[in-house]
Amino acid sequence: MNAFKNNIIATDLDNTLVGDEEALRTLLRTIEGSFSTIFITGRHKQSTLQLLEAHGIPLPDILVCDAGATIYTGPDFQQDIGWKQKTQAHWQPEHIKFIMTFLPSIAKHPVPNENRLSYTIQDENIVEAAKLQLKNAETPCHCIYSSGKDFDILPEGANKGSALQYVIEQYASGTARVLAAGDSGNDEDMLTQGFPAVVVANHQPELEKLRGYPNIHFAEHEFAAGILEGWEHFYSLVKK
């Protein structure tokens, strides 16, 4: 894998990088040749690659999928073995699925692997009940609830923030300038990891609680335009 450039944008995809085609094209022109990119998404790998192709988005330097549960590196995006060993040693998806069967009004998302489990839950009381049952069963995991309906269960220690920290430590230089960007609750761990971060204007209400964090900028612009605004806020905007 090629060495990272000194400017790094680590961004969520849906409703952050993707959502406004004109703003996306502007961002891609602006960063071409002078930035490295890390795409950090709740999608699984194949779905992510399909999204990038559909929008004509160049492949990133590193791909983080499944809300941080998997990291893919290299020209053919093979799974990072170090991250897999670090996060999946105590992962018990079958046991978690069994526990979740006792909860009402939930729907399991069909995903091609069990690197993480994902459910639709629209009642926050059921979300809290799920967390309590998993805790009482002493099942190591990390739970994320976002957008008022998406409930993700990841291996303990795995989330977008810890995945980004791992990638920067493993692949970037100590002088790298990093910006994290997101729009919803499953980005919170990444936005609060300590790197300069931007919340795009079209963000979900669950991120309002992050206002006032010194390293988090709430953009006035939506989608990709908000990412560029965040970069200019913390660093300086490169020439288009």
Side-chain angles (χ1 to χ4, degrees):
M1 183 173 61
N2 295 330
F4 267 30
K5 295 179 175 64
N6 203 49
N7 298 326
I8 301 172
I9 288 179
T11 181
D12 172 57
L13 293 178
D14 294 280
N15 297 315
T16 303
L17 181 65
V18 175
D20 180 326
E21 286 298 315
E22 183 178 352
L24 172 61
R25 301 270 78 84
T26 299
L27 181 144
L28 293 177
R29 287 195 303 270
T30 301
I31 70 175
E32 183 178 8
S34 56
F35 280 70
S36 289
T37 53
I38 306 167
F39 293 161
I40 307 181
T41 176
R43 290 174 177 251
H44 60 80
K45 179 183 176 183
Q46 190 57 40
S47 174
T48 301
L49 295 176
Q50 290 170 350
L51 177 73
L52 299 182
E53 182 178 6
H55 289 274
I57 301 171
L59 294 173
D61 293 83
I62 285 184
L63 193 57
V64 178
C65 294
D66 302 299
T70 53
I71 297 174
Y72 299 95
T73 64
D76 53 355
F77 292 103
Q78 293 298 308
Q79 192 165 353
D80 187 289
I81 299 304
W83 183 247
K84 181 177 181 179
Q85 292 174 341
K86 182 182 178 70
T87 60
Q88 300 216 351
H90 303 292
W91 178 231
Q92 305 171 49
E94 293 301 324
H95 184 50
I96 292 171
K97 285 191 294 183
F98 175 72
I99 292 171
M100 295 295 289
T101 61
F102 293 95
L103 294 163
S105 304
I106 69 172
K108 186 176 181 298
H109 295 177
V111 291
N113 58 60
E114 292 188 342
N115 295 317
R116 60 88 186 257
L117 299 174
S118 185
Y119 295 84
T120 296
I121 305 178
Q122 296 182 321
D123 185 334
E124 290 193 22
N125 291 324
I126 297 176
V127 170
E128 293 307 312
K131 291 179 180 179
L132 182 60
Q133 288 203 25
L134 291 166
K135 180 180 178 181
N136 289 342
E138 299 183 348
T139 306
C141 62
H142 178 66
C143 299
I144 305 170
Y145 187 56
S146 60
S147 303
K149 60 183 178 62
D150 297 321
F151 185 66
D152 291 316
I153 308 172
L154 286 74
E156 186 177 41
N159 59 64
K160 287 186 174 185
S162 58
L164 175 58
Q165 185 71 49
Y166 174 89
V167 167
I168 295 301
E169 290 176 355
Q170 292 292 318
Y171 299 106
S173 73
T175 60
R177 303 194 300 177
V178 180
L179 177 73
D183 75 289
S184 72
N186 74 5
D187 300 315
E188 181 177 345
D189 293 307
M190 172 175 66
L191 296 168
T192 59
Q193 189 67 28
F195 299 104
V198 60
V199 177
V200 294
N202 55 291
H203 62 274
Q204 294 291 325
E206 64 236 29
L207 291 185
E208 280 295 320
K209 63 185 178 183
L210 302 184
R211 284 190 186 273
Y213 278 58
N215 68 305
I216 299 178
H217 174 65
F218 275 74
E220 295 182 3
H221 293 88
E222 299 181 340
F223 304 106
I227 300 174
L228 282 180
E229 179 187 329
W231 187 270
E232 186 174 31
H233 175 82
F234 289 106
Y235 305 113
S236 61
L237 198 59
V238 297
K239 293 180 180 179
K240 295 183 178 64

